[in-house]
């Protein structure tokens, strides 16, 4: 099986999984959370059961909402590409926030695309929020289609970031925004390779170093406008996950990976110069 087949197989297999279990509100996240008040969060986690799961889920929703602020204005008629949409969590939150925004989400997993379509139908936004199986590195979209691109924890699966930047620049409109949220290998940390390798094995990723997000965009039209370091607030989130009675099984290396800063959690915002 090739690389993309392996990524698709991973997400096809994740059904009644950890992320699904947390999603009492029907919004299934496949990404880290952000915790700004660690003491209050840990109190909720220590309560255990549904309270703990809600605390973790709420912090994941907080990450989405934090990231949305970097997408710029999404007024009437705006089109957003959700590049690597999972089961549609971010798109559905965006659709609720921007009632006239049209969204197209792509995932490599046919199961995820179908699950996201069902979720959109349940929320009554299926006419403007569409999900398809397809690669964000070869999009079935015309040049200059999108006002904004959202890529939350999907670029870790991309073998060469240049391919991602070039394809998203092709389908984006002039002055479009791109927001990437990603696990990043800390190239200057002695444990960077160790923790990136552990995550890569578990999640079928190729975690990139920071320069891939900075230099990778050079010459593609995307210009970096902001870089946020979210490592501290996500290390706090993973500390809560490590204290859960039953998690996903990856907490044993993800929690120390972020706590030690061998892995970084970054948000990069870009604007298309065309
Ligand atoms: C960790 S999940 C994140 C999902 C979603 N963005 C979220 O935040 O909940 C990674 C997603 O990226 C998608 N993905 C990875 N490589 C892709 C590619 N080349 N084309 C489309 N989707 C891709 C996977 O199918 C999966 O849905």
């Amino acid at each position: 099986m090739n690389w993309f087949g392996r990524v698709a197989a991973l997400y096809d297999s994740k059904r009644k999984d950890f992320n699904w279990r947390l999603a009492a509100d029907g919004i299934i996240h496949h990404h880290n959370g952000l915790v700004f008040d660690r003491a209050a969060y840990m109190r909720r986690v220590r309560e255990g059961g549904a309270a703990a799961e809600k605390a973790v889920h709420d912090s994941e929703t907080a990450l989405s909402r934090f990231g949305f602020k970097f997408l710029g204005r999404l007024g009437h008629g705006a089109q957003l590409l959700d590049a690597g949409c999972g089961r549609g969590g971010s798109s559905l939150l965006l659709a609720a926030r921007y009632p006239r925004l049209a969204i197209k989400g792509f995932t490599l997993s046919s199961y995820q695309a179908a699950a996201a379509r069902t979720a959109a139908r349940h929320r009554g936004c299926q006419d403007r929020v569409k999900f398809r199986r397809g690669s964000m590195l070869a999009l079935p979209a015309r040049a200059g289609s999108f006002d904004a691109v959202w890529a939350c924890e999907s670029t870790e699966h991309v073998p060469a970031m240049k391919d991602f930047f070039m394809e998203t620049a092709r389908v984006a409109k002039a002055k479009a925004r791109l927001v990437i949220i990603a696990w990043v290998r800390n190239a200057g940390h002695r444990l960077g390779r160790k923790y990136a390798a552990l995550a890569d094995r578990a999640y079928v990723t190729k975690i990139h170093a920071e320069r891939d997000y900075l230099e990778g965009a050079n010459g593609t039209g995307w210009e970096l406008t902001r870089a946020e370091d979210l490592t501290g607030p996500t290390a706090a989130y993973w500390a809560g996950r490590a204290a859960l009675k039953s998690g996903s099984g990856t907490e044993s290396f993800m929690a120390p990976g972020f706590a030690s800063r061998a892995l970084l959690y970054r948000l990069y915002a870009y604007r298309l110069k065309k």
Side-chain angles (χ1 to χ4, degrees), residues 4 7 11 28-31 82 84-86 90 106-109 112 134-137 152-154 157:
F4 300 105
V7 176
Y11 291 108
I28 305 178
H29 298 299
H30 284 274
H31 57 71
D82 187 350
C85 61
S90 297
F106 290 87
T107 164
L108 291 175
S109 157
Q112 285 194 326
S135 176
M136 60 192 182
L137 304 178
C152 182
E153 295 193 20
S154 56
H157 295 291

Side-chain angles (χ1 to χ4, degrees), residues 3 7 11 30-32 83-84 136 151-161 164 180-185 196 199-200 203-208 213 254 258 263-266 268:
W3 176 259
V7 176
Y11 291 108
H30 284 274
H31 57 71
N32 290 7
M136 60 192 182
C152 182
E153 295 193 20
S154 56
T155 56
E156 293 88 336
H157 295 291
V158 170
M161 280 306 294
F164 173 85
I180 297 178
I181 297 172
W183 304 344
V184 174
R185 177 169 60 81
D200 283 348
Y203 290 103
V204 195
T205 49
K206 293 182 189 277
I207 297 179
H208 304 290
Y213 291 98
M254 296 306 282
F258 286 110
L263 296 178
L264 303 172
Y265 198 47
R266 292 281 210 231
Y268 302 103

